[in-house]
Amino acid sequence: MTMDNHLGDIETFLAAARSGSFAAAARVLRLTPSAISRSIARLEQRLGVALFRRTTRSLALTPEGEVYRGRMSALIEEIEEVEGNLGRESQGLRGKLRINASVPFGTQYLLPILPRFTALYPDVVIDLSLSDAVVDLVEERADIAIRIGPLRDARLKAKKLGHSRMVLVASPTYLAARGTPAQPQDLDGHSCLQFSFRRSVDSWPFRIGGRIVHRPVEGAFFGNSGEVVRLMAVAGGGIARLGRFHVANDLRDGRLVEILADRNPGDGEDIHALYSGQDRLAGRVRAFLDFLDRELAIPM
């Protein structure tokens, strides 16, 4: 027995219950009375209970039939509502869109453009979560996650949003007090800001004599995220190596200055939007991915 037959028998039962006779249900459904009778008999056999009391003059629901009608009426209404919502979504997108991103990317790049998306799709509800911790899309029930750096979850599909090169930066106040490095070796006398999730003695790459050389750096500060390290650099705490997308506003406004640009090896980080690998995306997810493609401007 297929699910289509199940639903057909249920709809036949509900029509008979509403109209009070098989003949009236047959007229409503444009079937023969015998087809209605066979459908009800199949349903009763499958359920193992009688749904109607039949007499020559009347058709009445049994107590089991009353319970079944209440449950199935609610179920059919829910199915119709789901199908109606999906149909409306294809015409005008609606529903909740859950997005996860790092704090700096969310505040600097997503939030400034989100009002344009909500203006285009006023029935889509944005649920934005900003966190520097890497979250699981399934556990967090996120539809889209913005990730910077290598991709680690092969279960997810990825849409590349851009690429941002790494830069060495420091605040003007720090450089005025400690001097501006002219060569990579000059970093030996400086406080280099590092990440606490990497090894204690870090190294930074430089282009020296036509090749890439990694030089160890030291400092008295470790941060657990790019944003923490950026804020320490802005405060005059030392020299940091961060993605240009992360410090573009600071460079533009003079809070940070790029140093040793002529020794930059040109490495960088890819930025992706990750989403479920399912074959058919909800319209609001696809619309947001297309929106990012058009509207997002990431400094190289």
PDB file of all heavy atoms in Angstrom, residues 179-207:
ATOM      1  N   GLY A 179      59.733  52.505  17.457  1.00  0.00           N
ATOM      2  CA  GLY A 179      60.393  52.528  16.162  1.00  0.00           C
ATOM      3  C   GLY A 179      59.713  51.606  15.166  1.00  0.00           C
ATOM      4  O   GLY A 179      59.086  50.614  15.540  1.00  0.00           O
ATOM      5  N   THR A 180      59.848  51.950  13.872  1.00  0.00           N
ATOM      6  CA  THR A 180      59.235  51.147  12.805  1.00  0.00           C
ATOM      7  C   THR A 180      60.247  50.164  12.238  1.00  0.00           C
ATOM      8  O   THR A 180      61.313  50.583  11.767  1.00  0.00           O
ATOM      9  CB  THR A 180      58.728  52.056  11.671  1.00  0.00           C
ATOM     10  OG1 THR A 180      57.769  52.975  12.201  1.00  0.00           O
ATOM     11  CG2 THR A 180      58.084  51.239  10.560  1.00  0.00           C
ATOM     12  N   PRO A 181      59.972  48.856  12.259  1.00  0.00           N
ATOM     13  CA  PRO A 181      60.916  47.877  11.705  1.00  0.00           C
ATOM     14  C   PRO A 181      61.137  48.114  10.216  1.00  0.00           C
ATOM     15  O   PRO A 181      60.183  48.305   9.459  1.00  0.00           O
ATOM     16  CB  PRO A 181      60.213  46.538  11.944  1.00  0.00           C
ATOM     17  CG  PRO A 181      59.231  46.792  13.040  1.00  0.00           C
ATOM     18  CD  PRO A 181      58.784  48.210  12.846  1.00  0.00           C
ATOM     19  N   ALA A 182      62.404  48.089   9.796  1.00  0.00           N
ATOM     20  CA  ALA A 182      62.740  48.266   8.387  1.00  0.00           C
ATOM     21  C   ALA A 182      63.014  46.924   7.711  1.00  0.00           C
ATOM     22  O   ALA A 182      62.874  46.796   6.489  1.00  0.00           O
ATOM     23  CB  ALA A 182      63.960  49.171   8.244  1.00  0.00           C
ATOM     24  N   GLN A 183      63.392  45.934   8.502  1.00  0.00           N
ATOM     25  CA  GLN A 183      63.693  44.596   8.002  1.00  0.00           C
ATOM     26  C   GLN A 183      63.049  43.572   8.932  1.00  0.00           C
ATOM     27  O   GLN A 183      62.823  43.853  10.121  1.00  0.00           O
ATOM     28  CB  GLN A 183      65.210  44.364   7.952  1.00  0.00           C
ATOM     29  CG  GLN A 183      65.970  45.322   7.054  1.00  0.00           C
ATOM     30  CD  GLN A 183      65.636  45.121   5.584  1.00  0.00           C
ATOM     31  OE1 GLN A 183      65.248  44.025   5.169  1.00  0.00           O
ATOM     32  NE2 GLN A 183      65.780  46.183   4.788  1.00  0.00           N
ATOM     33  N   PRO A 184      62.753  42.356   8.438  1.00  0.00           N
ATOM     34  CA  PRO A 184      62.158  41.344   9.308  1.00  0.00           C
ATOM     35  C   PRO A 184      62.964  41.086  10.580  1.00  0.00           C
ATOM     36  O   PRO A 184      62.387  40.858  11.644  1.00  0.00           O
ATOM     37  CB  PRO A 184      62.106  40.104   8.414  1.00  0.00           C
ATOM     38  CG  PRO A 184      61.987  40.652   7.022  1.00  0.00           C
ATOM     39  CD  PRO A 184      62.837  41.894   7.031  1.00  0.00           C
ATOM     40  N   GLN A 185      64.303  41.153  10.489  1.00  0.00           N
ATOM     41  CA  GLN A 185      65.114  40.886  11.675  1.00  0.00           C
ATOM     42  C   GLN A 185      64.924  41.949  12.763  1.00  0.00           C
ATOM     43  O   GLN A 185      65.229  41.696  13.940  1.00  0.00           O
ATOM     44  CB  GLN A 185      66.602  40.741  11.324  1.00  0.00           C
ATOM     45  CG  GLN A 185      67.199  41.890  10.564  1.00  0.00           C
ATOM     46  CD  GLN A 185      67.169  41.672   9.062  1.00  0.00           C
ATOM     47  OE1 GLN A 185      66.232  41.047   8.544  1.00  0.00           O
ATOM     48  NE2 GLN A 185      68.208  42.158   8.365  1.00  0.00           N
ATOM     49  N   ASP A 186      64.427  43.122  12.376  1.00  0.00           N
ATOM     50  CA  ASP A 186      64.191  44.176  13.371  1.00  0.00           C
ATOM     51  C   ASP A 186      63.072  43.803  14.344  1.00  0.00           C
ATOM     52  O   ASP A 186      62.937  44.429  15.406  1.00  0.00           O
ATOM     53  CB  ASP A 186      63.827  45.490  12.679  1.00  0.00           C
ATOM     54  CG  ASP A 186      64.982  46.042  11.846  1.00  0.00           C
ATOM     55  OD1 ASP A 186      66.132  45.646  12.101  1.00  0.00           O
ATOM     56  OD2 ASP A 186      64.714  46.861  10.942  1.00  0.00           O
ATOM     57  N   LEU A 187      62.276  42.795  14.000  1.00  0.00           N
ATOM     58  CA  LEU A 187      61.191  42.378  14.890  1.00  0.00           C
ATOM     59  C   LEU A 187      61.714  41.780  16.197  1.00  0.00           C
ATOM     60  O   LEU A 187      60.972  41.663  17.174  1.00  0.00           O
ATOM     61  CB  LEU A 187      60.285  41.353  14.192  1.00  0.00           C
ATOM     62  CG  LEU A 187      59.461  41.879  13.004  1.00  0.00           C
ATOM     63  CD1 LEU A 187      58.727  40.727  12.331  1.00  0.00           C
ATOM     64  CD2 LEU A 187      58.471  42.934  13.471  1.00  0.00           C
ATOM     65  N   ASP A 188      63.002  41.410  16.207  1.00  0.00           N
ATOM     66  CA  ASP A 188      63.575  40.812  17.416  1.00  0.00           C
ATOM     67  C   ASP A 188      63.465  41.745  18.619  1.00  0.00           C
ATOM     68  O   ASP A 188      63.406  41.293  19.751  1.00  0.00           O
ATOM     69  CB  ASP A 188      65.045  40.432  17.189  1.00  0.00           C
ATOM     70  CG  ASP A 188      65.202  39.319  16.158  1.00  0.00           C
ATOM     71  OD1 ASP A 188      64.180  38.659  15.859  1.00  0.00           O
ATOM     72  OD2 ASP A 188      66.317  39.122  15.647  1.00  0.00           O
ATOM     73  N   GLY A 189      63.417  43.024  18.377  1.00  0.00           N
ATOM     74  CA  GLY A 189      63.339  43.950  19.496  1.00  0.00           C
ATOM     75  C   GLY A 189      61.937  44.468  19.762  1.00  0.00           C
ATOM     76  O   GLY A 189      61.769  45.452  20.480  1.00  0.00           O
ATOM     77  N   HIS A 190      60.948  43.800  19.189  1.00  0.00           N
ATOM     78  CA  HIS A 190      59.568  44.279  19.313  1.00  0.00           C
ATOM     79  C   HIS A 190      58.665  43.254  20.000  1.00  0.00           C
ATOM     80  O   HIS A 190      58.987  42.061  20.071  1.00  0.00           O
ATOM     81  CB  HIS A 190      59.003  44.612  17.927  1.00  0.00           C
ATOM     82  CG  HIS A 190      59.526  45.895  17.363  1.00  0.00           C
ATOM     83  ND1 HIS A 190      58.915  47.106  17.562  1.00  0.00           N
ATOM     84  CD2 HIS A 190      60.635  46.144  16.605  1.00  0.00           C
ATOM     85  CE1 HIS A 190      59.606  48.051  16.951  1.00  0.00           C
ATOM     86  NE2 HIS A 190      60.664  47.500  16.355  1.00  0.00           N
ATOM     87  N   SER A 191      57.520  43.752  20.464  1.00  0.00           N
ATOM     88  CA  SER A 191      56.498  42.880  21.059  1.00  0.00           C
ATOM     89  C   SER A 191      55.548  42.423  19.961  1.00  0.00           C
ATOM     90  O   SER A 191      54.802  43.233  19.408  1.00  0.00           O
ATOM     91  CB  SER A 191      55.718  43.643  22.138  1.00  0.00           C
ATOM     92  OG  SER A 191      54.678  42.840  22.645  1.00  0.00           O
ATOM     93  N   CYS A 192      55.619  41.151  19.624  1.00  0.00           N
ATOM     94  CA  CYS A 192      54.762  40.593  18.567  1.00  0.00           C
ATOM     95  C   CYS A 192      53.570  39.887  19.216  1.00  0.00           C
ATOM     96  O   CYS A 192      53.738  39.012  20.069  1.00  0.00           O
ATOM     97  CB  CYS A 192      55.561  39.631  17.696  1.00  0.00           C
ATOM     98  SG  CYS A 192      56.905  40.435  16.785  1.00  0.00           S
ATOM     99  N   LEU A 193      52.390  40.270  18.807  1.00  0.00           N
ATOM    100  CA  LEU A 193      51.160  39.748  19.391  1.00  0.00           C
ATOM    101  C   LEU A 193      50.822  38.394  18.751  1.00  0.00           C
ATOM    102  O   LEU A 193      50.777  38.276  17.527  1.00  0.00           O
ATOM    103  CB  LEU A 193      50.021  40.735  19.175  1.00  0.00           C
ATOM    104  CG  LEU A 193      50.316  42.179  19.616  1.00  0.00           C
ATOM    105  CD1 LEU A 193      49.141  43.085  19.284  1.00  0.00           C
ATOM    106  CD2 LEU A 193      50.633  42.230  21.104  1.00  0.00           C
ATOM    107  N   GLN A 194      50.583  37.386  19.591  1.00  0.00           N
ATOM    108  CA  GLN A 194      50.410  36.031  19.099  1.00  0.00           C
ATOM    109  C   GLN A 194      49.065  35.453  19.529  1.00  0.00           C
ATOM    110  O   GLN A 194      48.330  36.049  20.316  1.00  0.00           O
ATOM    111  CB  GLN A 194      51.552  35.152  19.604  1.00  0.00           C
ATOM    112  CG  GLN A 194      52.937  35.649  19.164  1.00  0.00           C
ATOM    113  CD  GLN A 194      54.048  34.886  19.842  1.00  0.00           C
ATOM    114  OE1 GLN A 194      54.292  33.719  19.536  1.00  0.00           O
ATOM    115  NE2 GLN A 194      54.739  35.518  20.781  1.00  0.00           N
ATOM    116  N   PHE A 195      48.784  34.278  19.009  1.00  0.00           N
ATOM    117  CA  PHE A 195      47.530  33.583  19.314  1.00  0.00           C
ATOM    118  C   PHE A 195      47.770  32.473  20.323  1.00  0.00           C
ATOM    119  O   PHE A 195      48.723  31.702  20.199  1.00  0.00           O
ATOM    120  CB  PHE A 195      46.924  33.003  18.035  1.00  0.00           C
ATOM    121  CG  PHE A 195      46.449  34.050  17.069  1.00  0.00           C
ATOM    122  CD1 PHE A 195      47.236  34.441  16.002  1.00  0.00           C
ATOM    123  CD2 PHE A 195      45.208  34.660  17.244  1.00  0.00           C
ATOM    124  CE1 PHE A 195      46.812  35.413  15.110  1.00  0.00           C
ATOM    125  CE2 PHE A 195      44.769  35.633  16.365  1.00  0.00           C
ATOM    126  CZ  PHE A 195      45.564  36.016  15.298  1.00  0.00           C
ATOM    127  N   SER A 196      46.880  32.362  21.285  1.00  0.00           N
ATOM    128  CA  SER A 196      47.047  31.364  22.343  1.00  0.00           C
ATOM    129  C   SER A 196      46.741  29.951  21.869  1.00  0.00           C
ATOM    130  O   SER A 196      47.120  28.981  22.519  1.00  0.00           O
ATOM    131  CB  SER A 196      46.145  31.699  23.536  1.00  0.00           C
ATOM    132  OG  SER A 196      44.794  31.801  23.124  1.00  0.00           O
ATOM    133  N   PHE A 197      46.070  29.810  20.724  1.00  0.00           N
ATOM    134  CA  PHE A 197      45.758  28.466  20.237  1.00  0.00           C
ATOM    135  C   PHE A 197      46.825  27.935  19.287  1.00  0.00           C
ATOM    136  O   PHE A 197      46.655  26.902  18.668  1.00  0.00           O
ATOM    137  CB  PHE A 197      44.382  28.434  19.548  1.00  0.00           C
ATOM    138  CG  PHE A 197      44.177  29.515  18.525  1.00  0.00           C
ATOM    139  CD1 PHE A 197      44.657  29.371  17.238  1.00  0.00           C
ATOM    140  CD2 PHE A 197      43.493  30.679  18.860  1.00  0.00           C
ATOM    141  CE1 PHE A 197      44.462  30.359  16.299  1.00  0.00           C
ATOM    142  CE2 PHE A 197      43.280  31.672  17.917  1.00  0.00           C
ATOM    143  CZ  PHE A 197      43.767  31.518  16.639  1.00  0.00           C
ATOM    144  N   ARG A 198      47.940  28.649  19.172  1.00  0.00           N
ATOM    145  CA  ARG A 198      49.079  28.151  18.394  1.00  0.00           C
ATOM    146  C   ARG A 198      50.238  27.858  19.341  1.00  0.00           C
ATOM    147  O   ARG A 198      50.159  28.104  20.539  1.00  0.00           O
ATOM    148  CB  ARG A 198      49.499  29.170  17.332  1.00  0.00           C
ATOM    149  CG  ARG A 198      48.406  29.431  16.289  1.00  0.00           C
ATOM    150  CD  ARG A 198      48.833  30.490  15.313  1.00  0.00           C
ATOM    151  NE  ARG A 198      47.790  30.760  14.325  1.00  0.00           N
ATOM    152  CZ  ARG A 198      47.813  31.773  13.491  1.00  0.00           C
ATOM    153  NH1 ARG A 198      48.816  32.627  13.494  1.00  0.00           N
ATOM    154  NH2 ARG A 198      46.818  31.946  12.631  1.00  0.00           N
ATOM    155  N   ARG A 199      51.326  27.331  18.790  1.00  0.00           N
ATOM    156  CA  ARG A 199      52.459  27.008  19.645  1.00  0.00           C
ATOM    157  C   ARG A 199      53.055  28.276  20.265  1.00  0.00           C
ATOM    158  O   ARG A 199      52.940  29.365  19.731  1.00  0.00           O
ATOM    159  CB  ARG A 199      53.520  26.252  18.846  1.00  0.00           C
ATOM    160  CG  ARG A 199      54.063  27.005  17.633  1.00  0.00           C
ATOM    161  CD  ARG A 199      54.997  26.117  16.825  1.00  0.00           C
ATOM    162  NE  ARG A 199      55.557  26.822  15.681  1.00  0.00           N
ATOM    163  CZ  ARG A 199      54.940  26.941  14.515  1.00  0.00           C
ATOM    164  NH1 ARG A 199      53.744  26.421  14.357  1.00  0.00           N
ATOM    165  NH2 ARG A 199      55.517  27.564  13.518  1.00  0.00           N
ATOM    166  N   SER A 200      53.737  28.098  21.409  1.00  0.00           N
ATOM    167  CA  SER A 200      54.191  29.249  22.187  1.00  0.00           C
ATOM    168  C   SER A 200      55.215  30.101  21.443  1.00  0.00           C
ATOM    169  O   SER A 200      55.253  31.314  21.609  1.00  0.00           O
ATOM    170  CB  SER A 200      54.779  28.784  23.525  1.00  0.00           C
ATOM    171  OG  SER A 200      55.845  27.878  23.304  1.00  0.00           O
ATOM    172  N   VAL A 201      56.071  29.486  20.630  1.00  0.00           N
ATOM    173  CA  VAL A 201      57.022  30.244  19.809  1.00  0.00           C
ATOM    174  C   VAL A 201      56.501  30.239  18.375  1.00  0.00           C
ATOM    175  O   VAL A 201      56.566  29.233  17.685  1.00  0.00           O
ATOM    176  CB  VAL A 201      58.441  29.637  19.877  1.00  0.00           C
ATOM    177  CG1 VAL A 201      59.384  30.432  18.980  1.00  0.00           C
ATOM    178  CG2 VAL A 201      58.937  29.611  21.307  1.00  0.00           C
ATOM    179  N   ASP A 202      55.939  31.368  17.957  1.00  0.00           N
ATOM    180  CA  ASP A 202      55.322  31.449  16.643  1.00  0.00           C
ATOM    181  C   ASP A 202      56.371  31.874  15.613  1.00  0.00           C
ATOM    182  O   ASP A 202      57.482  32.253  15.937  1.00  0.00           O
ATOM    183  CB  ASP A 202      54.182  32.476  16.682  1.00  0.00           C
ATOM    184  CG  ASP A 202      53.099  32.130  15.669  1.00  0.00           C
ATOM    185  OD1 ASP A 202      53.395  31.382  14.723  1.00  0.00           O
ATOM    186  OD2 ASP A 202      51.962  32.614  15.837  1.00  0.00           O
ATOM    187  N   SER A 203      55.989  31.789  14.342  1.00  0.00           N
ATOM    188  CA  SER A 203      56.866  32.297  13.287  1.00  0.00           C
ATOM    189  C   SER A 203      55.998  32.935  12.217  1.00  0.00           C
ATOM    190  O   SER A 203      54.860  32.514  11.986  1.00  0.00           O
ATOM    191  CB  SER A 203      57.715  31.169  12.679  1.00  0.00           C
ATOM    192  OG  SER A 203      56.895  30.223  12.020  1.00  0.00           O
ATOM    193  N   TRP A 204      56.546  33.980  11.603  1.00  0.00           N
ATOM    194  CA  TRP A 204      55.831  34.696  10.544  1.00  0.00           C
ATOM    195  C   TRP A 204      56.633  34.600   9.255  1.00  0.00           C
ATOM    196  O   TRP A 204      57.882  34.686   9.262  1.00  0.00           O
ATOM    197  CB  TRP A 204      55.657  36.163  10.925  1.00  0.00           C
ATOM    198  CG  TRP A 204      54.704  36.382  12.075  1.00  0.00           C
ATOM    199  CD1 TRP A 204      53.829  35.487  12.590  1.00  0.00           C
ATOM    200  CD2 TRP A 204      54.554  37.598  12.825  1.00  0.00           C
ATOM    201  NE1 TRP A 204      53.130  36.049  13.617  1.00  0.00           N
ATOM    202  CE2 TRP A 204      53.543  37.352  13.787  1.00  0.00           C
ATOM    203  CE3 TRP A 204      55.155  38.849  12.789  1.00  0.00           C
ATOM    204  CZ2 TRP A 204      53.131  38.314  14.701  1.00  0.00           C
ATOM    205  CZ3 TRP A 204      54.749  39.818  13.688  1.00  0.00           C
ATOM    206  CH2 TRP A 204      53.740  39.554  14.636  1.00  0.00           C
ATOM    207  N   PRO A 205      55.957  34.450   8.094  1.00  0.00           N
ATOM    208  CA  PRO A 205      56.674  34.333   6.821  1.00  0.00           C
ATOM    209  C   PRO A 205      56.992  35.707   6.216  1.00  0.00           C
ATOM    210  O   PRO A 205      56.199  36.642   6.324  1.00  0.00           O
ATOM    211  CB  PRO A 205      55.681  33.563   5.942  1.00  0.00           C
ATOM    212  CG  PRO A 205      54.341  33.993   6.458  1.00  0.00           C
ATOM    213  CD  PRO A 205      54.511  34.211   7.944  1.00  0.00           C
ATOM    214  N   PHE A 206      58.156  35.775   5.559  1.00  0.00           N
ATOM    215  CA  PHE A 206      58.564  37.002   4.870  1.00  0.00           C
ATOM    216  C   PHE A 206      59.221  36.625   3.550  1.00  0.00           C
ATOM    217  O   PHE A 206      59.811  35.546   3.414  1.00  0.00           O
ATOM    218  CB  PHE A 206      59.553  37.809   5.717  1.00  0.00           C
ATOM    219  CG  PHE A 206      58.969  38.314   7.006  1.00  0.00           C
ATOM    220  CD1 PHE A 206      59.108  37.587   8.181  1.00  0.00           C
ATOM    221  CD2 PHE A 206      58.276  39.512   7.041  1.00  0.00           C
ATOM    222  CE1 PHE A 206      58.566  38.044   9.367  1.00  0.00           C
ATOM    223  CE2 PHE A 206      57.723  39.975   8.223  1.00  0.00           C
ATOM    224  CZ  PHE A 206      57.872  39.242   9.387  1.00  0.00           C
ATOM    225  N   ARG A 207      59.122  37.528   2.577  1.00  0.00           N
ATOM    226  CA  ARG A 207      59.814  37.324   1.306  1.00  0.00           C
ATOM    227  C   ARG A 207      61.189  37.977   1.423  1.00  0.00           C
ATOM    228  O   ARG A 207      61.316  39.206   1.515  1.00  0.00           O
ATOM    229  CB  ARG A 207      59.016  37.944   0.161  1.00  0.00           C
ATOM    230  CG  ARG A 207      59.612  37.676  -1.223  1.00  0.00           C
ATOM    231  CD  ARG A 207      58.688  38.173  -2.319  1.00  0.00           C
ATOM    232  NE  ARG A 207      57.410  37.490  -2.307  1.00  0.00           N
ATOM    233  CZ  ARG A 207      57.199  36.279  -2.837  1.00  0.00           C
ATOM    234  NH1 ARG A 207      58.208  35.637  -3.420  1.00  0.00           N
ATOM    235  NH2 ARG A 207      56.020  35.731  -2.788  1.00  0.00           N
TER     236      ARG A 207
END
